[in-house]
């Protein structure tokens, strides 16, 4: 019997896979922190004989090159991918034997990138799983606009054709195992579930249920901003990522933290937004370790700027380091653990700001308040608080001057992004209230929500 182990990368909204048989296995789209893959192989008692990439990734740094080096595995990369390291180029129809009666076949599926390749796993000649990377996802497809603007429509049409190629060639019960679609901005929409098959996608995926012109028009209309750090992921993957270093960073004392803040470096507090609002180092920013840390920090920080991490515990710090190396933020400049009492110099007091609900905003009235909506454009389009200002969270740090004078009540859809934006405003010296509430509660509280 074959097995497929899922390696979740929740912060990035991706999945990697280890699939194999009795003695050997293939790793698909492995993360940069390859110890997870090695641990999965050890639990199964198999060797990693092959490492495969479905495409050059735009949203994370791959661990494929290092995993192949460590294990001696054959490293399969689509032939059309322009890379500067040794690998085995893969063409449409190429096959490799993974284990006894277990074969992997490459299927050209352009769309997410021009060279995108899916891999079909067959057991005794019967297709059992398709590793679809950024082509056919759960209820959607990978976005086609990450390569070159002039290619976007062409790649969108290719996505439609690639989805049909997979659906026409594979049995309905074949498991569809994508890399993207679980929160990744590489997906053109978020997944509508956790598992799927070819048959389910035939019934529900618009790439398989509508004509190509309708599909392309709807796909292109729904595309949103691309995280800024994506511009650095493709080149890093093409040149061959270096091994990661997850050893603890140097510990900074309060004097050093103050100096780094004074120098304009980013000091990032990883604690939850409730703890941060109650007390923090003035000038620090709040990116929750349990939120989409890698996505939003990498999106917003000027690339290459030193970052110092403040964590509630050594375990939280280690987890954050792991998240950040996946997007190329390799080594924190410094770190500290504990809380504000350990991070402030003698005589300094923690900074703080209030949190509130939409009911509190409604009770206080919006006439004197500045209501700042930091949701994405698509969320805003579905309804917004009358009179609110809209700046998506990833733009707040460079558009602070556009926020009107007055106390700023900042909200998102649930609270996490509002916490980020509130910390940026607080660090800039603004009076801020973080609305830590679900957006649905705005209308329930009596606030006027405009739609249409």
């Amino acid at each position: 019997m074959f097995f497929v182990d899922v390696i979740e990368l929740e912060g990035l909204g991706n999945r990697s896979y280890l699939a194999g048989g009795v003695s050997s296995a293939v790793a698909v789209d492995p993360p940069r922190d390859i110890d997870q893959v090695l641990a999965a192989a050890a639990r199964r008692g198999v060797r990693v004989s092959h490492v495969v990439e479905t495409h050059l990734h735009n949203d994370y740094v791959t661990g494929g090159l290092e995993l192949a080096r460590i294990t001696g595995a054959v490293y399969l990369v689509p032939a059309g991918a322009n890379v500067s390291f040794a690998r085995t180029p893969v063409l449409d129809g190429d096959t490799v034997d993974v284990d006894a009666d277990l074969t992997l076949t490459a299927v050209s599926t352009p769309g997410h990138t021009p060279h995108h390749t899916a891999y079909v796993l067959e057991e005794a000649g019967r297709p059992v799983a398709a590793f679809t990377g950024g082509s056919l996802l759960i209820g959607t497809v990978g976005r086609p606009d990450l390569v070159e603007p002039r290619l976007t429509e062409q790649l969108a049409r290719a996505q439609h054709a690639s989805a049909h190629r997979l659906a026409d060639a594979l049995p309905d019960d074949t498991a569809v195992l994508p890399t993207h679609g679980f929160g990744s901005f590489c997906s053109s929409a978020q997944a509508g579930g956790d598992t799927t098959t070819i048959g389910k996608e035939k019934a529900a995926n618009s790439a398989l249920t509508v004509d190509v012109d309708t599909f392309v028009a709807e796909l292109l209309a729904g595309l949103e901003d691309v995280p800024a750090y994506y511009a650095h992921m493709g080149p890093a993957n093409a040149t061959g990522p270096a091994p990661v270093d997850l050893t603890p960073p140097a510990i900074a004392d309060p004097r050093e933290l103050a100096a780094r803040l004074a120098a304009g470096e980013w000091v990032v507090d990883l604690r939850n937004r409730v703890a941060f609002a109650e007390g923090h180092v003035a000038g620090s920013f709040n990116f929750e370790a349990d939120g989409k840390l890698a996505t939003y920090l990498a999106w917003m920080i000027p690339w290459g700027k030193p970052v110092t991490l403040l964590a509630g515990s050594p375990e939280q710090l280690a987890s954050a380091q792991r998240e950040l190396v996946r997007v190329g933020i390799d080594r924190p400049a410094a770190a500290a653990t504990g809380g504000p009492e350990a991070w402030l110099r003698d005589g300094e007091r923690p900074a703080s700001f209030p949190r509130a609900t939409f009911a509190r905003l409604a009770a206080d009235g919006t006439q004197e308040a500045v209501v700042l909506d930091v949701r994405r454009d698509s969320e805003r389009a579905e309804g917004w608080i009358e009179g609110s200002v809209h700046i998506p969270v990833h733009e707040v740090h460079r558009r602070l001057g556009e926020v009107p004078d007055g106390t700023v009540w900042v909200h998102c859809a649930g609270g996490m992004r509002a916490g980020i934006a509130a910390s940026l405003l607080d660090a800039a010296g603004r009076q801020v209230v973080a609305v830590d509430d679900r957006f649905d509660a705005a209308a329930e509280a009596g606030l006027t929500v405009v739609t249409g």
Side-chain angles (χ1 to χ4, degrees):
M1 286 291 293
F2 74 97
F3 70 86
V4 177
D5 288 341
V6 178
I7 298 170
E8 293 277 2
L9 304 176
E10 292 184 6
L12 291 176
N14 285 328
R15 288 178 176 176
S16 295
Y17 302 93
L18 182 73
V22 174
S23 61
S24 58
V26 56
V28 181
D29 289 343
R32 196 175 181 199
D33 46 327
I34 62 172
D35 56 336
Q36 294 187 94
V37 182
L38 295 172
R43 286 192 297 270
R44 289 286 186 177
V46 297
R47 70 182 182 91
V48 179
S49 60
H50 296 81
V51 177
V52 304
E53 304 283 6
T54 56
H55 61 293
L56 284 185
H57 304 286
N58 291 290
D59 63 334
Y60 70 93
V61 181
T62 181
L65 183 62
E66 179 66 2
L67 181 60
R69 186 187 70 82
I70 290 289
T71 62
V74 178
Y75 191 24
L76 305 178
V77 178
N82 186 17
V83 299
S84 57
F85 51 81
R87 87 293 189 205
T88 299
V90 177
L91 294 168
D92 184 47
D94 285 352
T95 63
V96 295
D97 293 327
V98 176
D99 204 275
D101 292 329
L102 206 59
T103 303
L104 198 68
T105 301
V107 181
S108 178
T109 48
H112 187 46
T113 66
H115 61 263
H116 192 284
T117 301
Y119 298 88
V120 175
L121 187 68
E122 295 183 352
E123 184 181 44
R126 179 179 64 91
V128 292
F131 300 101
T132 56
S135 54
L136 188 63
L137 310 185
I138 301 178
T140 185
V141 296
R143 58 193 298 172
D145 61 327
L146 302 179
V147 178
E148 159 62 53
R150 291 173 297 179
L151 295 178
T152 297
E153 182 173 347
Q154 174 185 331
L155 289 176
R157 292 182 178 278
Q159 280 289 51
H160 189 271
S162 291
H164 278 270
R165 182 182 185 192
L166 290 169
D168 292 344
L170 299 174
D172 283 357
D173 62 353
T174 306
V176 175
L177 303 174
T179 300
H180 303 314
F182 310 95
S184 168
F185 282 87
C186 269
S187 175
S188 60
Q190 295 313 302
D194 193 56
T195 61
T196 193
T197 62
I198 288 292
K200 290 179 181 178
E201 292 310 301
K202 284 181 178 179
N205 195 310
S206 62
L208 299 171
T209 59
V210 301
D211 66 88
V212 63
D213 290 334
T214 301
F215 168 78
V216 169
E218 293 176 350
L219 177 62
L220 299 186
L223 296 174
E224 297 192 85
D225 288 349
V226 177
Y229 74 92
Y230 277 25
H232 305 280
M233 299 298 96
N237 288 323
T239 57
V244 298
D245 178 3
L246 292 175
T247 58
I251 299 300
D253 61 20
R255 186 178 300 275
E256 181 181 348
L257 293 176
R260 290 187 176 278
L261 281 166
E265 296 182 10
W266 278 39
V267 175
V268 172
D269 191 326
L270 301 167
R271 297 174 303 146
N272 69 65
R273 58 187 180 269
V274 176
F276 183 88
E278 291 176 349
H280 56 270
V281 177
S284 62
F285 304 142
N286 182 216
F287 289 80
E288 290 182 306
D290 293 335
K292 294 179 74 67
L293 168 67
T295 295
Y296 284 107
L297 180 55
W299 194 338
M300 296 168 67
I301 191 171
W303 199 252
K305 181 176 281 289
V307 59
T308 293
L309 301 178
L310 305 179
S313 67
E315 293 76 19
Q316 187 178 67
L317 174 61
S319 176
Q321 277 188 262
R322 182 177 289 273
E323 285 273 329
L324 293 177
V325 298
R326 293 172 181 163
V327 293
I329 301 178
D330 284 4
R331 292 294 298 167
T337 58
E341 65 282 354
W343 303 334
L344 294 168
R345 294 171 294 186
D346 291 343
E348 291 182 327
R349 296 178 59 83
S352 64
F353 54 76
R355 296 166 49 252
T357 61
F358 282 113
R360 171 69 183 278
L361 174 59
D364 286 8
T366 59
Q367 292 78 12
E368 302 299 323
V370 176
V371 180
L372 177 62
D373 180 349
V374 298
R375 297 174 301 156
R376 296 190 302 276
D377 290 345
S378 61
E379 296 171 291
R380 172 87 172 179
E382 294 178 0
W384 64 90
I385 295 172
E386 186 177 44
S388 62
V389 177
H390 180 227
I391 304 177
V393 68
H394 59 275
E395 298 180 7
V396 169
H397 64 300
R398 53 186 173 83
R399 295 177 60 186
L400 290 170
E402 298 178 29
V403 181
D405 294 337
T407 299
V408 184
W409 292 65
V410 58
H411 79 85
C412 59
M416 185 270 289
R417 288 171 292 172
I420 295 174
S423 74
L424 297 171
L425 290 158
D426 176 73
R430 297 297 302 270
Q431 295 296 312
V432 63
V433 179
V435 179
D436 199 349
D437 203 353
R438 58 186 179 84
F439 185 71
D440 290 348
E444 296 171 3
L447 294 167
T448 302
V449 175
V450 181
T451 58

